[in-house]
Amino acid sequence: MKFSLYFAPAVTGVALVSAVPWKRDVDPSLVPEFGVTAGVNPTGTGDCDGTTNSAGNIVKIPCSCPPDRTSFLQSLNANVNAGKVVNNPSVSVTFPTDDSKDSQLARMQSAIVTLQNLNGPGIGCPAASTTFLAQQKAIQDGTAIALSTTSTAAPVPTQTSGIVDTSLVPEFGVNPGVNPTGTGDCDGTTNSAGQVVKIPCSCPPNRDAFIQSLEVNVAAGFAVNNPSVKVSFPEDNSKNSQLARLQTAIVTLQNINGSGKGCPAASTTFLAQQKAIQDGTAAPAPAASPAVSVTASISASSPAPTTTSVDAALVPEFGHAAGLNPSGTGDCDGITNDAGKSLNANVAAGHVVNNPSVQLTFPTDDSNASKAARINAALVTLQNLNGPGVGCPAASTTLLVCRVPFIS
């Protein structure tokens, strides 16, 4: 009898211990990838680029989203072990590990609700900061899971190196990320009306990625993301072959991320190069930087260059650094122009070469009149740096402040 009294608690104890739930972390290889990188094209107001919606527009997301992968996995593990979202207990979660359609969808749903409630009930990152919804739809439709916003859907050859002569692939002629507006747009080419065309700041794409897509298309004989569009890449130097290569580059660019989803032609000089070939003129070289454009303008309109330049020690300092306090709309507190070469050309000509009606001098003595003349020469050079009246404002320097003591 005593033995049975002693044994009963032990059995009860074993039963209590065995009732404690067994917890373990999820298999991270089964956790869907975000498919989006945090901090892309910040607007200056805390928003960055997320996924592209069904209308083809980039959805703005908090720049801190998606979260750090490690912290996301920690939150997901906590939710799965609890059987619910710990920050929003009314939402149940499961994480089955088999490969059935229902299990894949359950895992995806757990990832989505974890993401959306990461920092509290309904406080987290939006689904648009990942490709989770696209992956979810792909599972529901029975198609391949979209792990990345830039993955290609068509089955195409993967070993493409050497298919085309890369020296025959036209240069973009435009750099990405120039003068961001803060809404995801940047400067592209200049249209026939003389206006700069706005393009996505991510365009043109990475050159290596573009060439890889081009080679895939050429190997297939069509744009793999838009199979109705045929492509070819003949390597001879005939007019027709040059135009065929340009057309292949254009359709590759425009369909690089999907059917009709890519970069616009205005993010390159492809159309200008195409017209030059059609007209029988030399294809335009890649777009020059503002400093080079200024030099070209000077060399075209100024007299023969002189070997005598101004004494750099006498040229007034700008008094401002470039790139201070960017507003997110392309404005800052300073400038980035190489005005020294332009000033030399202007002084040599005796007038502003980009605005010949404006006379200037650069005397080298230390009188107040000469100091004022030098500052004035610097001011008019600055204000006409890229054309008549097209340059940097005086407020981007301290030149006006410097001039006051010499003219008062």
Side-chain angles (χ1 to χ4, degrees):
M1 189 68 180
K2 286 183 178 180
F3 176 78
S4 60
L5 287 172
Y6 173 77
F7 184 69
V11 174
T12 305
V14 170
L16 287 172
V17 171
S18 63
V20 175
W22 175 258
K23 297 181 180 181
R24 62 180 179 180
D25 289 346
V26 302
D27 181 351
S29 69
L30 295 177
V31 179
E33 294 293 331
F34 293 139
V36 172
T37 303
V40 174
N41 292 333
T43 63
T45 60
D47 294 333
C48 286
D49 283 1
T51 49
T52 302
N53 62 21
S54 58
N57 299 319
I58 293 175
V59 180
K60 291 299 177 183
I61 60 173
C63 288
S64 57
C65 292
D68 169 73
R69 182 76 175 172
T70 302
S71 62
F72 174 75
L73 288 173
Q74 288 173 344
S75 295
L76 180 63
N77 281 326
N79 293 344
V80 171
N81 282 323
K84 59 189 173 186
V85 178
V86 294
N87 286 330
N88 198 349
S90 64
V91 181
S92 299
V93 299
T94 61
F95 201 88
T97 57
D98 66 277
D99 203 34
S100 68
K101 182 174 181 177
D102 286 345
S103 293
Q104 291 181 60
L105 288 172
R107 293 196 295 266
M108 194 64 69
Q109 183 63 19
S110 293
I112 291 170
V113 296
T114 295
L115 181 79
Q116 294 172 327
N117 298 276
L118 204 58
N119 302 316
I123 303 173
C125 288
S129 65
T130 68
T131 58
F132 285 174
L133 294 181
Q135 294 181 55
Q136 188 180 55
K137 186 176 187 303
I139 296 168
Q140 290 169 334
D141 295 346
T143 58
I145 298 174
L147 292 178
S148 150
T149 53
T150 58
S151 63
T152 54
V156 292
T158 56
Q159 299 298 322
T160 59
S161 179
I163 285 181
V164 304
D165 180 351
T166 55
S167 69
L168 295 177
V169 179
E171 294 293 332
F172 293 140
V174 172
N175 292 321
V178 175
N179 292 332
T181 62
T183 60
D185 295 332
C186 285
D187 283 2
T189 50
T190 302
N191 63 22
S192 57
Q195 299 168 329
V196 175
V197 179
K198 291 300 178 184
I199 61 172
C201 288
S202 57
C203 294
N206 172 268
R207 180 79 177 169
D208 291 338
F210 172 75
I211 289 176
Q212 186 176 20
S213 294
L214 178 72
E215 291 190 318
V216 167
N217 291 345
V218 171
F222 54 83
V224 294
N225 285 330
N226 197 350
S228 64
V229 182
K230 305 301 181 187
V231 301
S232 64
F233 201 87
E235 296 190 349
D236 66 277
N237 205 34
S238 68
K239 183 174 181 178
N240 286 340
S241 293
Q242 291 181 61
L243 288 173
R245 292 196 296 265
L246 233 333
Q247 183 62 21
T248 295
I250 291 170
V251 297
T252 295
L253 181 79
Q254 294 172 328
N255 297 277
I256 200 164
N257 297 322
S259 179
K261 297 177 182 177
C263 288
S267 65
T268 69
T269 58
F270 285 174
L271 294 180
Q273 294 180 55
Q274 189 178 56
K275 187 176 187 301
I277 295 169
Q278 290 169 334
D279 295 347
T281 59
S289 64
V292 176
S293 298
V294 172
T295 305
S297 174
I298 290 168
S299 61
S301 55
S302 62
T306 175
T307 56
T308 303
S309 59
V310 300
D311 183 349
L314 296 176
V315 179
E317 295 294 330
F318 290 140
H320 278 300
L324 296 181
N325 298 327
S327 64
T329 61
D331 296 331
C332 288
D333 292 348
I335 60 173
T336 56
N337 289 295
D338 180 8
K341 294 178 182 178
S342 296
L343 180 63
N344 279 327
N346 291 346
V347 171
H351 57 79
V352 178
V353 293
N354 284 331
N355 198 349
S357 65
V358 181
Q359 307 298 309
L360 58 79
T361 61
F362 200 89
T364 57
D365 66 275
D366 203 37
S367 68
N368 282 353
S370 293
K371 290 176 180 178
R374 292 196 296 266
I375 290 173
N376 194 60
L379 275 171
V380 295
T381 295
L382 183 77
Q383 293 167 330
N384 298 275
L385 202 58
N386 300 319
V390 182
C392 289
S396 65
T397 70
T398 57
L399 295 179
L400 291 179
V401 177
C402 294
R403 187 172 65 166
V404 171
F406 306 129
I407 59 177
S408 57

